[in-house]
Amino acid sequence: MAELRPSGAPGPTAPPAPGPAAPPAFASLFPPGLHAIYGECRRLYPDQPNPLQVTAIVKYWFTGTDGPSGFGFELTFRLKRETGESAPPTWPAELMQGLARYVFQSENTFCSGDHVSWHSPLDNSESRIQHMLLTEDPQLQPVQTPFGVVTFLQIVGVCTEELHSAQQWNGQGILELLRTVPVAGGPWLITDMRRGETIFEIDPHLQQERVDKGIETDGSNLSGVSAKCAWDDLSRPPEDDEDSRSICIGTQPRRLSGKDTEQIRETLRRGLEINSKPVLPPINPQRQNGLTHDRTP
């Protein structure tokens, strides 16, 4: 049975003194917005009153310290314990700190079903788990704080092939598939950094019966993409066929292969078919009296 590590905000080093008699110095170190978060973590992990804490010099509080941050969520992460491991690693805290920094600097919030293209093993190893999906934490419930309601979003590590399927279809669909495969996450969506197979390699039927069918019926909910741009000197001849300068030599662009052309044509065809479907069902002529506008849910 996989073991879960505590997720969300860690508990304080000592329980806070009750009531208004708490020393001002302690109160300044224990922001009021964290009381409810710590309480929810203690509810889920009652046997861990003083878990390991990892902090940073520059802190990014989603729930705010002296006031609301405006984001209203905290990140959690469930990691499978390695054999012989006696203490949890600290790299998940660094990972969450990096995501928090991105949110504060870009002011782009995270939502359940979002994906994060990381393009590198999450633990800086040789793992195939190099990207992330986000979902509502299956155990930590939303809590009320003095600054508003805070929800918990769980990070789920995925392989590149699973990320691509989430982009072509949707993140929630891939998360549901991960829940059905115990070694790929199971009901608690536990990330196993030593997982060497994708869910499509474990169960090849998932690609055709679930993902391809879902793309055909639902399309994709991808609303935007990010990209890295680079440039090179096209005046120098390419070193080989893999060189980016081989795309264009002088003024003669390289023609697309037949396989690329067919893939683009098929993608456009699917998009046109999805967009041509009626958004609403036809109106019943017997009820089209100018007053009734019932719509079938």
Side-chain angles (χ1 to χ4, degrees):
M1 179 177 180
E3 299 184 45
L4 305 185
R5 293 206 178 95
S7 51
T13 55
F26 182 81
S28 64
L29 296 175
F30 194 74
L34 293 182
H35 280 278
I37 296 176
Y38 285 178
E40 178 64 9
C41 291
R42 290 194 187 97
R43 178 194 67 79
L44 187 58
Y45 303 105
D47 58 337
Q48 300 184 39
N50 186 25
L52 173 68
Q53 295 188 82
V54 179
T55 186
I57 298 177
V58 179
K59 300 175 177 62
Y60 296 90
W61 299 97
F62 284 137
T63 50
T65 54
D66 301 323
S69 67
F71 297 116
F73 70 90
E74 289 292 334
L75 295 173
T76 69
F77 187 60
R78 284 176 169 79
L79 179 65
K80 182 179 179 181
R81 182 188 297 243
E82 296 289 343
T83 303
E85 196 174 46
S86 59
T90 58
W91 65 260
E94 298 175 8
L95 183 72
M96 289 190 281
Q97 179 76 354
L99 293 176
R101 185 186 305 112
Y102 162 78
V103 170
F104 272 83
Q105 292 178 351
S106 67
E107 298 185 354
N108 293 326
T109 188
F110 287 136
C111 299
S112 179
D114 284 352
H115 67 267
V116 179
S117 305
W118 201 250
H119 301 289
S120 177
L122 304 187
D123 60 351
N124 295 319
S125 67
E126 300 297 323
S127 174
R128 292 185 68 179
I129 308 299
Q130 302 187 8
H131 310 281
M132 292 167 275
L133 297 179
L134 295 170
T135 185
E136 294 178 357
D137 192 290
Q139 292 181 292
L140 291 169
Q141 301 299 314
V143 294
Q144 181 69 46
T145 75
F147 306 130
V149 176
V150 174
T151 59
F152 296 92
L153 290 179
Q154 179 175 329
I155 300 168
V156 182
V158 295
C159 302
T160 300
E161 295 84 351
E162 295 157 355
L163 172 77
H164 290 167
S165 294
Q167 293 172 328
Q168 295 169 1
W169 184 21
N170 59 71
Q172 292 293 358
I174 300 302
L175 287 164
E176 289 302 319
L177 295 184
L178 290 170
R179 288 188 176 96
T180 66
V181 182
V183 297
W188 307 128
L189 293 171
I190 303 169
T191 297
D192 180 2
M193 294 304 300
R194 300 296 164 255
R195 175 160 66 95
E197 294 179 305
T198 70
I199 56 174
F200 309 117
E201 293 168 341
I202 297 172
D203 186 353
H205 297 288
L206 293 178
Q207 179 66 50
Q208 183 176 4
E209 296 178 1
R210 299 292 296 276
V211 177
D212 291 347
K213 188 175 181 179
I215 294 173
E216 184 175 353
T217 57
D218 305 332
S220 173
N221 67 352
L222 184 65
S223 61
V225 296
S226 59
K228 291 183 178 179
C229 298
W231 55 91
D232 208 332
D233 184 4
L234 295 179
S235 63
R236 295 187 293 112
E239 297 178 358
D240 51 47
D241 291 340
E242 300 298 326
D243 194 314
S244 61
R245 291 188 299 276
S246 65
I247 297 176
C248 180
I249 303 177
T251 58
Q252 298 297 323
R254 189 175 67 182
R255 299 186 63 180
L256 290 174
S257 66
K259 181 179 179 181
D260 292 338
T261 302
E262 183 59 31
Q263 185 177 5
I264 294 173
R265 183 182 294 111
E266 178 64 18
T267 302
L268 291 173
R269 183 188 66 79
R270 289 186 179 184
L272 290 174
E273 286 182 354
I274 294 172
N275 292 332
S276 64
K277 294 180 180 180
V279 178
L280 297 174
I283 298 176
N284 190 333
Q286 296 179 353
R287 305 188 66 181
Q288 191 176 3
N289 54 16
L291 297 176
T292 302
H293 296 280
D294 294 340
R295 294 175 179 172
T296 303

